[in-house]
């Protein structure tokens, strides 16, 4: 496909020889939101974590196949993992902020990259917090503890901190599942804005959320890719009966 950012070829994943993914083939488009849906244990998070090689942190991980970003196989032995995880940012289900100030949380990645000039760091903080739609709420309390923020604010701050590393891909693993409806709506609005600058993969168990924010949807079941296509078609006229049954709540 034109404008393919990520290409997954014949990807199989095992943990302690138990198969989690079976020969997945998928093309993810630049500057689009792709939702990954499916019942618990179907391999959604395992698929997401292959794209920044975080599965390697789990003992017994083994993979076959390729994951290409901009045409380069990220499992090549010469790949720099630090650069890869800068390129591919990840937002988790629960906010994982450091017990430090809001400011220190955001500048963590830039300072690791050698940026120490306060003026530049200040600009980064304002830019990414504006992008993450939280600047107006926190601009007067940057030195206060980040853990004092509400759950929804903490999650948006996590997104801002991820953006500060200047990724081109955002992996989001159930980013709104622990939030109230108002905070969830803010995260969804944010996702729709961020896709103008980033390629976004979203794991969600919320069918309505997938329908609202994603351009493409992939349905996984028991480690296999059952169906993939444009979200409106997947939700109104899926090809596979199993897809229809899952989307309409008959199982899962």
């Amino acid at each position: 496909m034109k404008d393919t950012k990520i290409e997954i070829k014949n990807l199989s994943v095992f943990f302690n020889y138990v198969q989690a993914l079976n020969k997945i083939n998928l093309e993810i488009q630049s500057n689009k939101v792709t939702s990954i849906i499916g019942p618990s244990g179907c391999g959604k998070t395992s698929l997401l974590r292959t794209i920044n090689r975080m599965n390697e942190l789990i003992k017994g991980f083994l993979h076959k196949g390729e994951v290409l970003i901009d045409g380069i196989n990220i499992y090549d032995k010469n790949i720099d993992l630090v650069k890869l995880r800068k390129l591919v940012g990840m937002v988790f289900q629960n906010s994982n902020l450091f017990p430090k100030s809001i400011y220190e949380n955001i500048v963590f990645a830039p300072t690791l990259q050698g940026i120490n000039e306060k003026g530049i760091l200040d600009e980064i903080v304002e830019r990414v917090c504006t992008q993450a739609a939280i600047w107006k709420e926190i601009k007067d309390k940057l030195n206060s503890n980040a853990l004092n923020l509400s759950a929804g604010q903490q999650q948006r701050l996590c997104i801002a901190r991820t953006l500060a590393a200047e990724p081109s891909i955002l992996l989001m693993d159930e980013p709104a599942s622990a939030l109230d409806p108002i905070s969830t709506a803010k995260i969804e609005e944010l996702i729709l804005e961020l896709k103008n600058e980033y390629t976004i993969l979203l794991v969600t168990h919320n069918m309505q959320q997938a329908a609202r924010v994603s351009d493409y949807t992939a349905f996984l079941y028991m480690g296999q890719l059952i169906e993939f296509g444009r979200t409106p078609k997947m939700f109104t006229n899926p090809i596979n009966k199993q897809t229809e049954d899952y989307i309409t709540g008959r199982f899962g």
Side-chain angles (χ1 to χ4, degrees):
M1 279 192 215
K2 189 183 176 185
D3 295 327
T4 297
K5 183 71 175 178
I6 305 165
E7 187 174 4
I8 297 169
K9 294 183 174 180
N10 267 332
L11 177 71
S12 294
V13 166
F14 304 82
F15 296 101
N16 293 318
Y17 303 105
V18 176
Q19 190 159 19
L21 294 172
N22 184 15
K23 294 182 178 176
I24 304 292
N25 288 283
L26 198 54
E27 290 188 25
I28 307 297
Q29 302 305 295
S30 296
N31 300 107
K32 301 292 183 188
V33 180
T34 300
S35 284
I36 304 170
I37 63 172
S40 296
C42 71
K44 301 187 297 293
T45 295
S46 295
L47 177 59
L48 202 68
R49 290 166 65 105
T50 60
I51 298 168
N52 65 354
R53 289 180 57 173
M54 279 193 70
N55 282 329
E56 290 174 37
L57 302 174
I58 301 171
K59 192 175 180 181
F61 166 73
L62 178 72
H63 89 283
K64 296 178 180 178
E66 295 180 323
V67 177
L68 286 81
I69 296 178
D70 295 327
I72 297 169
N73 182 12
I74 65 167
Y75 283 88
D76 187 285
K77 65 180 187 300
N78 297 318
I79 290 293
D80 183 329
L81 280 182
V82 174
K83 287 181 180 176
L84 172 67
R85 289 175 185 151
K86 176 180 180 293
L87 175 74
V88 186
M90 187 155 186
V91 178
F92 297 90
Q93 181 173 359
N94 296 308
S95 65
N96 56 343
L97 294 171
F98 307 125
K100 297 183 175 185
S101 72
I102 292 168
Y103 189 91
E104 288 172 301
N105 267 276
I106 300 166
V107 301
F108 179 76
T111 51
L112 274 184
Q113 293 161 16
I115 299 171
N116 295 304
E117 192 177 321
K118 189 170 187 308
I120 295 174
L121 292 173
D122 288 349
E123 287 175 12
I124 291 171
V125 169
E126 182 172 353
R127 174 173 55 82
V128 299
C129 286
T130 301
Q131 281 183 291
I134 196 173
W135 175 245
K136 290 179 182 177
E137 296 164 55
I138 55 92
K139 65 181 180 179
D140 297 323
K141 47 185 177 182
L142 293 173
N143 293 320
S144 63
N145 193 314
L147 300 182
N148 291 336
L149 296 172
S150 70
Q153 288 174 324
Q154 286 190 34
Q155 195 63 307
R156 279 181 284 143
L157 187 62
C158 283
I159 293 170
R161 187 180 63 184
T162 302
L163 298 181
E166 299 191 333
S168 65
I169 296 166
L170 286 177
L171 308 179
M172 295 185 158
D173 192 358
E174 305 264 20
S177 66
L179 304 181
D180 62 82
I182 293 172
S183 297
T184 296
K186 287 183 179 179
I187 295 289
E188 290 181 5
E189 287 170 19
L190 183 53
I191 289 170
L192 291 171
E193 289 174 19
L194 290 173
K195 76 173 183 180
N196 294 315
E197 295 182 55
Y198 306 92
T199 300
I200 299 174
L201 276 88
L202 171 71
V203 163
T204 181
H205 68 278
N206 185 323
M207 295 302 96
Q208 291 78 21
Q209 184 173 85
R212 284 192 295 263
V213 304
S214 59
D215 301 285
Y216 294 89
T217 297
F219 170 51
L220 294 185
Y221 183 67
M222 295 186 71
Q224 294 190 308
L225 179 62
I226 305 300
E227 190 168 342
F228 174 70
R230 290 187 178 275
T231 298
K233 185 177 186 306
M234 285 273 288
F235 277 79
T236 58
N237 189 26
I239 295 168
N240 194 290
K241 175 77 164 56
Q242 207 170 15
T243 309
E244 182 182 354
D245 287 348
Y246 180 72
I247 286 172
T248 56
R250 292 193 187 117
F251 77 97

